């Protein structure tokens, strides 16, 4: 078989050197390949469908060719057709696979398991793609008055939690982290209380109120059209802060990334 060469990926890029960012979601791999995706690179198709760009980094000294993908389907989350294969990835570079996802239930975090069948030494690579609820969110700009009208008139379920701010992070950085993670936009800040708003691709209101209790502690309150979505998003914030605290405790390396 001919040696694979850099080729256009289904995601629109070419294979090349890159590494996961600090917000990347790990999907598996090992000493031969590393698989992840960037939440900011997802693309909505409609209220139930999106595409993620799955990055496959070749850590070996020889080329890798991804020949096929085999995905487990569930009642709530399915992987659609459309991934262009085979894909060649040269040593030390990264290729990108577009993975179309269809979900009927966006209010719960989900997971899709799969296997990348690779030619050569890499063999079969087990992958587990996390699909958090925040992936289905879109930030939306509101005035303070519009935000208050939603709080007063919409039927919302509320959840709240007091959280310790991770080391090396102040209240402002914590607020920025929540805004970026949940894809909610700042409405305003009054007397150390920040209001943020976002909307799911299916039209759920997501109102977030963050109150600074001290230099190291905040209260995070979410009010959403759906109570399950509210709990799921709040849990994402808690988990993100735990990861930030872990990273602050030492130098994050690749093993830390793979254990996410």
């Amino acid at each position: 078989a001919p040696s694979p060469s850099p080729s256009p990926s289904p995601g629109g890029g070419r294979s090349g050197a890159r590494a996961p960012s600090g917000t990347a979601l790990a999907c598996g791999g090992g000493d031969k390949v590393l698989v992840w995706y960037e939440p900011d690179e997802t693309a909505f198709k409609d209220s139930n469908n999106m595409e993620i760009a799955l990055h496959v980094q070749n850590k070996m000294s020889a080329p890798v060719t991804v020949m096929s993908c085999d995905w487990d389907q569930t009642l709530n989350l399915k992987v659609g057709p459309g991934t262009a294969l085979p894909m060649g990835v040269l040593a030390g570079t990264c290729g990108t696979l577009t993975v179309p996802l269809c979900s009927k239930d966006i209010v719960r975090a989900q997971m899709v398991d799969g296997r990348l069948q690779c030619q050569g030494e890499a063999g079969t690579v087990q992958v587990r793609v996390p699909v958090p609820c925040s992936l289905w969110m879109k930030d939306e700009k509101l005035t303070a008055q519009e935000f208050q009208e939603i709080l007063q008139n919409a039927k919302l379920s509320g959840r709240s939690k007091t959280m310790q701010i991770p080391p090396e992070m102040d209240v402002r950085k914590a607020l920025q982290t929540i805004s970026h993670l949940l894809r909610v936009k700042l409405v305003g800040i009054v007397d150390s209380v920040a209001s943020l708003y976002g909307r799911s691709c299916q039209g759920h209101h997501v109102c977030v109120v963050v109150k600074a209790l001290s230099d190291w502690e905040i209260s995070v309150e979410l009010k959403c059209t759906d109570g399950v979505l509210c709990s799921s998003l709040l849990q994402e914030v808690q988990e993100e802060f735990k990861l930030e605290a872990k990273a602050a405790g030492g130098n994050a390396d690749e093993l830390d990334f793979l254990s996410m």
Side-chain angles (χ1 to χ4, degrees), residues 165-169 240-253 256:
I165 298 175
E168 301 182 9
M169 181 184 289
E240 178 63 23
F241 278 14
K242 287 179 182 178
L243 288 173
E244 293 280 356
K246 179 182 177 182
N251 293 325
D253 57 21
D256 290 327

Side-chain angles (χ1 to χ4, degrees), residues 6-19:
S7 58
S9 71
R14 293 182 176 274
S15 61
R18 72 173 293 173

Side-chain angles (χ1 to χ4, degrees), residues 13-14 38 41 51 66-67 84 92 96 178 209 231 234 236 256:
R14 293 182 176 274
E38 304 284 350
E41 295 175 355
E51 290 181 346
V66 181
M67 302 300 296
T96 303
I178 293 171
V209 177
S231 298
L234 188 60
E236 285 189 41
D256 290 327

Side-chain angles (χ1 to χ4, degrees), residues 77-103:
L77 187 65
K78 299 183 182 301
V79 179
T83 302
L85 290 166
M87 179 186 72
V89 186
L90 295 179
T93 69
C94 179
T96 303
L97 298 172
T98 296
V99 180
L101 297 178
C102 178
S103 177

Side-chain angles (χ1 to χ4, degrees), residues 60-167:
M60 300 187 298
S61 58
V64 167
T65 301
V66 181
M67 302 300 296
S68 65
C69 301
D70 177 30
W71 300 101
D72 295 340
Q73 311 283 6
T74 69
L75 290 176
N76 289 325
L77 187 65
K78 299 183 182 301
V79 179
T83 302
L85 290 166
M87 179 186 72
V89 186
L90 295 179
T93 69
C94 179
T96 303
L97 298 172
T98 296
V99 180
L101 297 178
C102 178
S103 177
K104 294 181 179 180
D105 181 6
I106 69 165
V107 301
R108 294 174 175 83
Q110 300 184 65
M111 195 79 69
V112 58
D113 293 319
R115 291 150 294 280
L116 304 183
Q117 304 294 339
C118 301
Q119 187 181 60
E121 187 180 346
T124 301
V125 179
Q126 301 287 339
V127 294
R128 169 164 281 195
V129 180
V131 185
C133 297
S134 56
L135 276 192
W136 304 96
M137 290 291 299
K138 300 178 180 180
D139 61 15
E140 189 170 314
K141 188 174 182 179
L142 288 186
T143 65
Q145 181 178 345
E146 290 171 331
F147 184 79
Q148 288 301 320
E149 288 175 352
I150 291 174
L151 289 179
Q152 293 170 8
N153 301 325
K155 295 182 179 179
L156 305 176
S157 297
R159 303 287 188 277
S160 63
K161 190 77 174 179
T162 297
M163 302 183 190
Q164 297 289 325
I165 298 175

Side-chain angles (χ1 to χ4, degrees), residues 202-237:
Q202 292 186 347
H204 299 96
H205 293 299
V206 177
C207 302
V208 185
V209 177
V210 180
K211 182 177 181 179
L213 303 178
S214 67
D215 290 341
W216 61 86
E217 192 173 56
I218 59 174
S219 169
V220 181
E221 181 180 19
L222 272 76
K223 292 187 176 182
C224 309
T225 313
D226 186 285
V228 178
L229 176 61
C230 200
S231 298
S232 298
L233 293 174
L234 188 60
Q235 184 176 356
E236 285 189 41
V237 177

